[in-house]
Amino acid sequence: MLSKKISLDKESEKQHHAPGFSARFLEEPVPKYEMPEGSVSGDVAYLLIHDELNLDGNPALNLASFVTTWMEPQAAALMAETLDKNYVDQDEYPQTTEIQNRCVNMIANLFHAPEAGVGTATVGSSEAIHLAGLALKWNWRKRRTDAGKPADKPNLVMGANVQVCWEKFARYFEVEPRYVPLTEERYVLGADEAVEMVDENTIAVVGILGSTYTGEYEPVERLNDALTQLNAKTGWEVPIHVDAASGGFVAPFTSPDLLWDFRLPLVRSINVSGHKYGLVYPGVGWVVWRDAAELPEDLIFHVNYLGGDQPTFNLNFSRNASQIIAQYYNLLRLGKEGYRKIMVALQDNARYLTEQLLSTGKFTMLSKLGDLPVVTFALKDDSRFSVFDISARLRERGWIVPAYTMAPNAQDIAVLRVVVREALSRDMADMLLEDINRAVAEFEKQAPEPKPKHAEKTRGVC
Ligand SMILES: *Cc1c(COP(=O)(O)O)cnc(C)c1O
């Protein structure tokens, strides 16, 4: 296979001709701490790593994740063709930059930005949220210092159900996080409760579309109204950021009349994960601002070696271009019609799963039909076995369905969550339902003694 001989020692030369499974490392422990002295053939290294990875879960059965596990072969081909491109090399790969800019334009327009094109590709929503959070902090600080007021105690108001990246942002960039607690009846941010926590040092209030825990959309329009009133009364200018990591590619197609985006005046920035319902393999995300005025100049670094001026605003520098190119493939290939069809189909499958689970009489639903295609459900009676037991039993069949407790102050509720993605067909859904029902029937037979209430504390998986 190799036409040119690369420096192989005697031993590895021998292996070069050895059939795969008889080679070194396949009979010996694999190096884990020290780089091996000698080489092995590519075939052997491939076999070894390929086989080891079989111990991972099967991505198609991973119903824990919002992240894409299937793309069309044409998209995969484009990605393979562009693995060697560094997206940051704008002068070498101007067309890749152009494709990124087209994606930013299309996404900003999808979210009704008055001025399209202010935004950037990121590695995911986490990076996007760090960038958006920095812009909010900078804007708040400028308003404060321009008014001759202290600017050393910024805070950010959000639901206790935020994804962990918001906690990271608050800690890394020294912003006090103010969490609006949930209740046993409300699993997302309450608009009035949020506005009560706002003061002159609030850099923004976060609205999530939709919640990682239940898929429910937060009431962004009500938040906009309540905050508009508060701003008018106090003279503050507290804005809203919408974390549309999942919903940004769902709501525009399935709920076009829902007001959550730049149609609401206080919404200044929005993030979305391209690798969730944008339907691209990980990792790509996007952040867009309402207009250029929302993006402080001193956060932008200007690169001029492209000939023109190319502004950049990112936490990292080099990254692979292929996910950005794959995002453009999906936007172009599917169009609004394609995304609409897919998202409607996912909601249909979420509805089907919900109805089938409810018909067993064993479960209550915490997810809301019509929001994210996510099915979050709890056991009506968990005195004999818990959702954690069901999750473990499903795992024996290969299904990855996480069980977790809700955020404060609803953490006494433990749930299972199924994220309905493109690869979860009706047939797969039926097999999953069968396995859930079988597990429940077996536990009911085996566990006559009431169990103490679950004590496990885990976080939702994304
Ligand atoms: C997934 C998720 C994130 C983080 O997104 P990544 O793209 O994984 O970095 C942030 N917020 C919400 C609501 C999410 O669902």
Side-chain angles (χ1 to χ4, degrees):
M1 212 163 81
L2 292 174
S3 55
K4 215 168 27 160
K5 202 158 162 206
I6 25 183
S7 63
L8 296 169
D9 64 8
K10 274 256 145 37
E11 196 192 357
S12 38
E13 177 129 32
K14 243 179 5 225
Q15 283 154 24
H16 199 63
H17 303 289
F21 280 107
S22 69
R24 182 163 69 97
F25 290 159
L26 299 169
E27 298 174 282
E28 288 169 26
V30 76
K32 290 186 186 137
Y33 304 103
E34 189 78 46
M35 201 192 282
E37 289 301 330
S39 317
V40 291
S41 73
D43 289 343
V44 168
Y46 174 86
L47 254 182
L48 197 93
I49 298 170
H50 173 86
D51 284 359
E52 190 163 323
L53 288 173
N54 283 333
L55 284 167
D56 274 346
N58 178 343
L61 300 183
N62 177 5
L63 307 181
S65 180
F66 285 94
V67 175
T68 302
T69 52
W70 181 82
M71 288 190 79
E72 291 180 314
Q74 297 92 327
L78 265 177
M79 291 182 83
E81 285 165 23
T82 51
L83 283 173
D84 54 358
K85 285 196 183 177
N86 183 357
Y87 127 103
V88 89
D89 291 342
Q90 298 171 348
D91 55 346
E92 287 93 339
Y93 310 126
Q95 214 51 38
T96 296
T97 303
E98 165 66 16
I99 282 176
Q100 183 221 223
N101 295 345
R102 288 181 198 168
C103 290
V104 170
N105 289 337
M106 288 185 190
I107 291 166
N109 276 319
L110 188 66
F111 300 164
H112 302 94
E115 188 182 321
V118 188
T120 184
T122 60
V123 175
S125 278
S126 301
E127 187 191 3
I129 282 165
H130 285 82
L131 299 178
L134 281 171
L136 292 165
K137 185 178 173 184
W138 252 246
N139 290 341
W140 163 82
R141 193 163 57 200
K142 179 158 191 332
R143 286 196 298 276
R144 297 285 293 171
T145 49
D146 284 356
K149 292 186 176 148
D152 56 346
K153 286 197 172 61
N155 69 68
L156 180 67
V157 175
M158 51 200 159
N161 53 311
V162 284
Q163 209 264 1
V164 65
C165 65
W166 286 102
E167 298 171 46
K168 283 189 194 170
F169 167 75
R171 194 166 315 161
Y172 294 173
F173 293 103
E174 302 184 311
V175 173
E176 178 206 339
R178 293 191 177 171
Y179 300 111
V180 182
L182 308 187
T183 71
E184 300 259 332
E185 286 82 43
R186 175 172 54 69
Y187 309 121
V188 292
L189 176 109
D192 297 332
E193 290 84 348
V195 168
E196 267 169 34
M197 294 178 105
V198 170
D199 64 23
E200 59 185 358
N201 289 318
T202 302
I203 65 169
V205 182
V206 177
I208 310 172
L209 200 88
S211 172
T212 311
Y213 288 80
T214 57
E216 184 177 347
Y217 295 159
E218 296 200 319
V220 187
E221 187 182 6
R222 280 228 310 283
L223 186 62
N224 179 79
D225 294 347
L227 211 45
T228 302
Q229 275 182 16
L230 181 74
N231 284 340
K233 205 168 73 190
T234 56
W236 303 336
E237 295 172 56
V238 180
I240 296 171
H241 172 89
V242 180
D243 176 357
S246 297
F249 276 110
V250 179
F253 305 110
T254 59
S255 312
D257 298 328
L258 180 76
L259 294 180
W260 65 272
D261 59 12
F262 295 120
R263 286 168 290 178
L264 299 172
L266 286 183
V267 174
R268 299 301 157 82
S269 44
I270 300 173
N271 66 277
V272 63
S273 297
H275 53 220
K276 291 186 176 175
Y277 291 107
L279 307 176
V280 180
Y281 288 135
V284 63
W286 304 93
V287 54
V288 287
W289 284 270
R290 174 176 205 85
D291 51 41
E294 295 302 324
L295 184 51
E297 247 316 299
D298 47 345
L299 286 176
I300 303 172
F301 291 80
H302 291 270
V303 182
N304 61 10
Y305 36 79
L306 186 59
D309 172 57
Q310 184 64 48
T312 73
F313 180 26
N314 288 101
L315 295 182
N316 58 296
F317 194 67
S318 297
R319 64 160 289 179
N320 187 262
S322 53
Q323 296 93 348
I324 295 168
I325 289 163
Q327 181 78 75
Y328 188 56
Y329 169 86
N330 274 352
L331 296 172
L332 202 71
R333 146 88 173 109
L334 296 171
K336 290 179 181 163
E337 183 194 11
Y339 271 101
R340 192 174 302 116
K341 277 190 180 147
I342 291 169
M343 298 308 150
V344 165
L346 298 186
Q347 288 195 337
D348 284 349
N349 279 345
R351 182 182 312 273
Y352 175 74
L353 264 176
T354 299
E355 287 167 358
Q356 294 297 311
L357 287 166
L358 283 177
S359 74
T360 65
K362 310 278 181 201
F363 302 106
T364 53
M365 283 295 148
L366 285 84
S367 43
K368 238 179 102 196
L369 289 174
D371 290 3
L372 293 184
V374 165
V375 183
T376 305
F377 52 109
L379 268 171
K380 272 188 185 162
D381 172 11
D382 64 353
S383 61
R384 292 193 295 161
F385 56 93
S386 69
V387 288
F388 299 94
D389 297 323
I390 298 179
S391 173
R393 180 58 59 89
L394 290 175
R395 188 71 200 245
E396 289 172 15
R397 278 277 286 166
W399 300 108
I400 303 173
V401 178
Y404 53 91
T405 55
M406 300 289 281
N409 290 337
Q411 67 270 62
D412 283 345
I413 303 172
V415 296
L416 289 160
R417 187 189 69 189
V418 172
V419 176
V420 178
R421 293 194 313 265
E422 221 184 341
L424 187 77
S425 62
R426 186 62 64 94
D427 177 46
M428 294 285 279
D430 278 329
M431 289 190 285
L432 173 67
L433 284 162
E434 236 172 71
D435 284 334
I436 292 173
N437 290 336
R438 187 177 311 128
V440 167
E442 283 173 13
F443 285 131
E444 283 181 341
K445 241 192 286 163
Q446 287 166 9
E449 297 294 323
K451 271 182 67 157
K453 229 180 155 38
H454 57 80
E456 294 95 323
K457 290 270 175 294
T458 53
R459 238 188 176 288
V461 189
C462 317

